[in-house]
Amino acid sequence: MDFNLKPQERKFVEEVRAFLDAQAERPDAAEVMAPDRDAHSQLANSPERRAFNRRMAEQGYIGMSWPKEFGGQEIEGIYEYLLNEELALRGMPLIGKGVGCIGKTIIRHGSEAMKAEFLPKILAADIEFALGYSEPSSGSDLASLRLKAVRDGDEWVLNGQKVWTTSAHFADWYWVAARTDPDAPKHKGISVFLIPMDHPGLTVRETKTMGDHRTNEVFFDNVRVPADRLVGEENKGWTYVCEALDFERFTFYTVNPLLRKFERAVEALRTTNREGRPLSEDPVIRRDVARLATDLETAKMLQRRVVNEASKGRVPAVEAAMYKVFSTRLGQQLTDFVLDALGPTGLLRHGAQGAVDNGVWEHFYQTTPLDTIGGGTSEVQKNIIARRGLGLPLN
Ligand SMILES: Cc1cc2nc3c(=O)[nH]c(=O)nc-3n(C[C@H](O)[C@H](O)[C@H](O)COP(=O)(O)OP(=O)(O)OC[C@H]3O[C@@H](n4cnc5c(N)ncnc54)[C@H](O)[C@@H]3O)c2cc1C
């Protein structure tokens, strides 16, 4: 069995590293690279991040797997995944939302006018998107969503509310799922719309969460959009949402940040003393860190199964669910372990005097639970494994 990358994939990774090394030398690098602050650069409006994304586009890293007729290079999705691993390692914004979920759905289902309007802007990294799926009563059971869209002549009128919309406070466009047929079965009455984020009638309100993660509620009050802002066919939105997730699943699930956290943990154990001796000499700590190292190898293997399935053109739904459940729980276990080992000083925050590794572990303690929720909770992933992997549907 050969788990190594192919020579052309390795060459690509080296090129990406060289590109990112050069970016790291720029005076504005700190604004786009935040390996200590999970997803920091993606959670605020940032001209530096936008400029960085444009440089990525100039480098040809945006839309690599798109068909050539739409400006892509038609290369395998594995390259986008490899790129994301390198970006994630340095805490840089991942590619995915625009080129993946949205761009690929427009390519497959959008009108010619929508393709002409959006695809070049996505390829040039000129626009940023927010995803409007979750609602106050619809998260895991997304198909029950209730944001109402009613046809009125040449327009649709939207009323209702979304929650947890990351980046709604600075994105340019809102990719929104709404109910267009309240009488149809729940999966068959949903459509997707593209709406400018500054559209009259849209109100964005901040929701603060753990780990300094800003997200938003978005309220729709008679938001009137032209009929051609509906993506693809009316009432086919559920298919598009699921398809987009299937396309992108493996590019989202990077393992490098977890490996990097583990390296930091080992370093913290080596360099932090208790009663005059490094923590790494404590037999209980040595036992636990060895167990975590073993689990980390398991996470790597689970992730390779995801990539392997996806690169063969199959949908890695079960493999991705297994990897997500396992790796996000491992992220929490690793953080719990380090905080237990460090004792009270581990709880000191970023910037506090005496904080170990500048408070990074306290920050990870707050952000790792989010990973077990976003993109489908652990319970939902386990349902996928039971239903699709083991053939155990709920009757
Ligand atoms: C960091 C982050 C960013 C996010 N960004 C976005 C975004 O940009 N756009 C967006 O639309 N949404 C976003 N979300 C929302 C996310 O998709 C939802 O939080 C998630 O789908 C869960 O939905 P919920 O919060 O409504 O919880 P619920 O679905 O209400 O779940 C509550 C609890 O019940 C459990 N549960 C639910 N159903 C079942 C079941 N069938 N079997 C067993 N247990 C079950 C869940 O696992 C959970 O523990 C984000 C969330 C996070 C954490």
Side-chain angles (χ1 to χ4, degrees), residues 49-66:
R49 184 198 53 242
R50 285 180 185 252
F52 168 75
N53 284 338
R54 285 197 196 98
R55 292 195 294 277
M56 291 262 293
E58 283 158 18
Q59 194 71 14
Y61 289 159
I62 306 288
M64 289 186 287
S65 64
W66 283 14

Side-chain angles (χ1 to χ4, degrees), residues 141-332:
D141 180 17
L142 185 61
S144 68
L145 64 86
R146 288 194 296 206
L147 177 76
K148 195 162 79 178
V150 176
R151 184 78 188 239
D152 181 20
D154 288 341
E155 293 179 321
W156 286 93
V157 188
L158 285 81
N159 280 289
Q161 185 193 347
K162 294 284 172 187
V163 288
W164 312 128
T165 304
T166 305
S167 68
H169 53 301
F170 60 82
D172 306 297
W173 286 88
Y174 203 15
W175 176 263
V176 183
R179 185 151 305 280
T180 38
D181 184 350
D183 301 322
K186 66 179 180 178
H187 296 92
K188 298 196 169 152
I190 295 170
S191 301
V192 171
F193 293 86
L194 260 172
I195 303 175
M197 209 63 247
D198 59 359
H199 197 285
L202 275 183
T203 307
V204 176
R205 195 163 76 188
E206 176 174 8
T207 309
K208 283 195 172 129
T209 70
M210 294 193 301
D212 309 327
H213 185 113
R214 175 178 173 167
T215 180
N216 304 280
E217 292 176 292
V218 182
F219 298 90
F220 293 68
D221 182 14
N222 283 321
V223 173
R224 286 187 162 270
V225 295
D228 62 6
R229 287 283 170 233
L230 186 145
V231 179
E233 280 183 58
E234 193 177 326
N235 296 324
K236 288 274 176 67
W238 183 252
T239 315
Y240 304 158
V241 168
C242 295
E243 224 181 68
L245 261 180
D246 282 344
F247 273 137
E248 287 320 299
R249 209 167 249 129
F250 83 109
T251 60
F252 288 151
Y253 293 136
T254 51
V255 77
N256 271 349
L258 192 55
L259 304 183
R260 171 88 184 100
K261 275 181 193 168
F262 185 73
E263 283 169 12
R264 292 180 89 133
V266 173
E267 191 55 26
L269 300 177
R270 262 205 207 104
T271 53
T272 310
N273 284 356
R274 188 164 58 205
E275 293 169 4
R277 298 173 72 94
L279 289 172
S280 55
E281 291 185 13
D282 181 311
V284 175
I285 286 176
R286 292 168 67 83
R287 179 198 65 192
D288 289 350
V289 79
R291 182 180 50 76
L292 286 164
T294 313
D295 288 346
L296 214 61
E297 286 303 312
T298 309
K300 269 163 56 180
M301 290 304 132
L302 286 171
Q303 192 234 24
R304 289 202 179 145
R305 292 178 70 225
V306 180
V307 177
N308 184 44
E309 282 300 289
S311 59
K312 291 197 168 122
R314 297 193 283 260
V315 176
V318 175
E319 291 79 4
M322 286 181 175
Y323 172 65
K324 184 168 192 285
V325 173
F326 189 85
S327 62
T328 55
R329 191 181 55 197
L330 184 55
Q332 285 185 292

